[in-house]
Amino acid sequence: MSDASNYYGPVVNMNGGRENVGINYGTVGGAQDVEVRAAVNELKGLLGELRPHLTREQDRTVEEALPELTPDREALRSRGLVLASVAQIASAVGAVGQPVAEAVGRLLALLG
């Protein structure tokens, strides 16, 4: 049996539990940098457009990277491998991945 599901955003499966309050995207507890938030949102949108062009393994890597892409400057600085993986995938798929590679570059420039 194969799973042909495609997910283009957060997927939450909750089986039981108590006092579940939802998903924390790393924005609780303070105002976030507007430029970083815009760059992260742009990157996530471009990744959604890129996913149909990826191999199964590349898509899995992007799926795992999406929750790590939060509009938190400090958190993103510590997640350099995630951004490097996304940039590598974007480069590997050629011209169709160029907008993603450029978006990663802009985000990295904002992070300093």
Side-chain angles (χ1 to χ4, degrees):
M1 181 175 176
S2 69
D3 182 15
S5 300
N6 292 311
Y7 301 105
Y8 296 100
V11 176
V12 178
N13 296 305
M14 296 175 64
N15 300 309
R18 295 168 29 153
E19 299 179 26
N20 298 312
V21 294
I23 301 171
N24 179 353
Y25 289 101
T27 59
V28 175
Q32 299 299 320
D33 187 333
V34 174
E35 290 178 322
V36 172
R37 180 182 303 280
V40 168
N41 288 338
E42 177 191 20
L43 179 57
K44 285 183 173 183
L46 290 169
L47 285 171
E49 295 172 13
L50 182 65
R51 291 180 74 181
H53 303 280
L54 303 178
T55 66
R56 183 176 296 158
E57 293 79 20
Q58 291 170 329
D59 187 55
R60 186 176 309 120
T61 300
V62 168
E63 179 74 25
E64 292 169 358
L66 286 172
E68 301 295 320
L69 300 174
T70 64
D72 182 323
R73 190 179 291 266
E74 293 306 314
L76 284 172
R77 283 184 180 140
S78 69
R79 297 175 182 158
L81 288 177
V82 170
L83 293 172
S85 295
V86 169
Q88 183 179 18
I89 289 169
S91 295
V93 296
V96 71
Q98 187 64 33
V100 171
E102 291 171 358
V104 170
R106 286 190 295 275
L107 182 55
L108 288 171
L110 286 173
L111 297 178

